[in-house]
Amino acid sequence: LLRKRGGAAVRKRIALCMAALVLALLGPGMALVVSRSFGLTMERERARALGEEAAIARAVALETASNRFDRYEASTLQTRYSSKEMAVYLLRDGEPITGEALPEAEKLPELLNTAARATLLDRPSERLLIAHALGDGVLLLAALDVAPVYALRRALMRGAALIVLLGSALAVALAAWISGLLTRPLRQLSAAAARLARGEYDAPLPTAQNDEIGALIRAFSGMSGAIGEREAALRAQAEERQALIDALAHEMRTPLTAILGGARLLGQSKLSEGQQSELLDMMAREAARLSTMDERLLLLTRLGHERPEWTTFDSRAMAEEALRVFDGVRLEGEGAAFVGERELTILLLRNLVVNAQRAGGEAPVCVTLHPDGFDVTDCGCGMTEEQLAHAFEPFYKADKARTRGAGGAGLGLSLCRKIARLHRGDVRIESEIGKGTRVCYRFDTSL
């Protein structure tokens, strides 16, 4: 309902603006046309009246040239030359010779004082008055009825007003229709935005044209897609974080229980020195396991928020430094220039080597250098398809008994993949049961 009201409000504003525009342009224009038409018509009537009055004045002057006519003769002349449209009056010294009343006009006294010829358009009586001095104090007054011209002007004004009203109504209707077409995509966008606010990212959008509204639709579509992807990423991140917290709580329970139980045994039981030493070693291993878990969790968290500074370093020198802490690891391949964070790359390689050594096998672990990464290969027990599917999940351990005995926390491969993806690369595992495992690290050399 609010969206409909909003669209109606926009259409109403556009319609009112169009009506105001039509009134502002068509109203004065029609008034100007009517006024111009009235002026031209009145000028033609004035010219016609002047011509007719001039003819009457010549005729009266000829008839009155020989003598001074009396009242009867003046009445005869007025009757003879007057018509239905024009009334004629004869005056001597400003007074009607026949004694009849003159037409009423506001400026008639000024007109009668003319010494030659003058005209007066009297709007109240709708008459055109012409005064013509004939000499010897005799004056001819002609009164032309121009009421038809005023009636024509009023008719034209009514027609113009009707045209303006019809034009305004048509403009309002056209504006409402056109604005409805123009605002339809906006109404659809409004509905899509409302659905987007409810978390529905598949709302249909209007077809984008090559105009400003089309650009808005394309921008909205991109925004909707970006929001959907962002929300999906946040949801996945939240689920991953919750899974990590759940797994962490589960993983911490075992070493904490072992340490707490060992502390109670040390305080309450009478143990031999060998038993105490064995118990203390167990507690130290579990404490070390907690410490390692804490360090790796902190590193995982930091890598998720901070981007390390990259440098260019030699891969063989890096690998030799990383492998100094291991015995029996074979290094193959030629060195190359790696671009990345050197210490994190060392940590990644060491984690892979530690996992490879834990897998067992008679042959030593082999590290093979490539221009875009390295491989770590062992001849251990290998991994099943299910184990490969979960290998990079935090706290996942393919062989829980072996990993726990070795002090692993199940965070090594998760950390390795995190480091690899920071370098725009990835870690891939190829394994076969009973034949060993090869872990391949590759990164983007175009960085």
Side-chain angles (χ1 to χ4, degrees):
L1 180 61
L2 290 176
R3 290 196 301 272
K4 291 181 179 178
R5 288 179 178 174
V10 172
R11 292 196 297 273
K12 182 178 179 181
R13 286 195 293 270
I14 294 177
L16 290 177
C17 289
M18 286 296 295
L21 182 62
V22 169
L23 288 174
L25 296 179
L26 190 58
M30 293 301 296
L32 181 62
V33 169
V34 171
S35 177
R36 182 61 176 167
S37 176
F38 174 76
L40 292 175
T41 304
M42 188 60 72
E43 285 298 324
R44 287 195 297 270
E45 289 295 315
R46 185 191 300 272
R48 183 176 68 84
L50 288 174
E52 186 176 348
E53 186 275 334
I56 294 173
R58 286 195 295 271
V60 171
L62 288 175
E63 292 190 24
T64 60
S66 58
N67 60 339
R68 296 177 61 84
F69 55 88
D70 56 14
R71 178 175 180 178
Y72 174 76
E73 291 174 334
S75 177
T76 302
L77 290 174
Q78 289 180 188
T79 303
R80 185 190 307 167
Y81 294 110
S82 294
S83 65
K84 182 179 180 181
E85 297 176 352
M86 178 180 288
V88 177
Y89 304 91
L90 290 173
L91 296 85
R92 181 181 287 116
D93 299 327
E95 295 295 333
I97 297 176
T98 59
E100 61 183 351
L102 297 177
E104 295 182 359
E106 294 181 357
K107 297 182 180 181
L108 182 59
E110 291 86 347
L111 179 67
L112 298 180
N113 288 330
T114 181
R117 192 183 191 194
T119 62
L120 171 65
L121 180 61
D122 186 57
R123 289 182 176 83
S125 62
E126 297 181 352
R127 285 194 179 100
L128 176 63
L129 303 177
I130 305 173
H132 194 164
L134 302 179
D136 296 332
V138 178
L139 185 140
L140 175 67
L141 178 65
L144 178 65
D145 183 12
V146 291
V149 180
Y150 280 95
L152 176 63
R153 185 179 71 168
R154 289 191 290 271
L156 289 177
M157 289 297 292
R158 288 193 295 270
L162 181 60
I163 292 175
V164 171
L165 290 177
L166 291 177
S168 300
L170 181 60
V172 169
L174 288 176
W177 179 65
I178 294 173
S179 61
L181 293 179
L182 293 178
T183 58
R184 181 181 301 169
L186 299 180
R187 295 196 300 274
Q188 293 175 343
L189 278 181
S190 178
R195 295 184 62 177
L196 180 63
R198 296 193 298 267
E200 302 175 16
Y201 301 101
D202 57 346
L205 295 177
T207 303
Q209 304 295 332
N210 293 325
D211 54 13
E212 290 79 1
I213 296 181
L216 176 62
I217 293 172
R218 288 189 290 271
F220 184 90
S221 178
M223 180 193 70
S224 177
I227 292 176
E229 293 175 1
R230 177 63 175 167
E231 183 171 347
L234 290 175
R235 188 181 296 111
Q237 185 179 3
E239 293 175 355
E240 181 181 353
R241 185 181 295 110
Q242 185 61 43
L244 182 63
I245 292 173
D246 295 341
L248 175 62
H250 175 74
E251 289 296 322
M252 290 182 66
R253 186 179 299 114
T254 300
L256 286 175
T257 302
I259 293 173
L260 182 59
R264 288 176 178 174
L265 285 174
L266 288 175
Q268 298 177 1
S269 304
K270 294 181 179 180
L271 303 175
S272 63
E273 291 184 1
Q275 291 174 328
Q276 291 180 0
S277 178
E278 183 179 352
L279 190 58
L280 288 173
D281 288 342
M282 182 274 295
M283 295 172 64
R285 286 195 304 272
E286 294 300 329
R289 183 165 175 265
L290 279 176
S291 177
T292 301
M293 190 186 306
D294 177 68
E295 290 176 359
R296 293 192 174 184
L297 281 173
L298 287 176
L299 182 57
L300 278 173
T301 304
R302 181 173 64 85
L303 292 179
H305 299 283
E306 298 179 7
R307 181 182 178 89
E309 294 184 2
W310 290 352
T311 58
T312 302
F313 56 89
D314 181 70
S315 62
R316 189 166 188 89
M318 178 276 300
E320 290 174 350
E321 180 180 346
L323 299 179
R324 287 195 190 110
V325 297
F326 302 103
D327 295 328
V329 178
R330 190 171 72 253
L331 179 62
E332 298 179 352
E334 299 295 329
F338 280 14
V339 177
E341 216 286 333
R342 190 174 187 274
E343 294 302 321
L344 289 179
T345 308
I346 291 175
L347 177 60
L348 185 153
L349 179 55
R350 285 179 175 175
N351 280 334
L352 295 181
V353 171
V354 167
N355 287 344
Q357 288 183 335
R358 288 173 180 169
E362 297 179 357
V365 174
C366 178
V367 176
T368 305
L369 298 176
H370 298 280
D372 59 346
F374 48 77
D375 299 340
V376 178
T377 308
D378 67 71
C379 298
C381 59
M383 302 173 67
T384 66
E385 292 294 331
E386 182 182 358
Q387 290 170 342
L388 286 173
H390 299 282
F392 293 101
E393 295 178 4
F395 299 108
Y396 178 79
K397 294 180 281 291
D399 187 344
K400 292 184 171 60
R402 177 172 55 81
T403 306
R404 187 175 301 282
L411 290 172
L413 286 177
S414 298
L415 185 59
C416 289
R417 170 161 283 184
K418 192 75 173 181
I419 295 173
R421 288 180 174 175
L422 278 177
H423 292 79
R424 296 184 185 176
D426 203 0
V427 177
R428 187 181 73 257
I429 301 177
E430 301 172 358
S431 184
E432 189 175 351
I433 293 294
K435 294 185 178 181
T437 302
R438 182 173 67 174
V439 183
C440 306
Y441 163 61
R442 297 290 186 272
F443 67 93
D444 188 355
T445 57
S446 64
L447 299 175

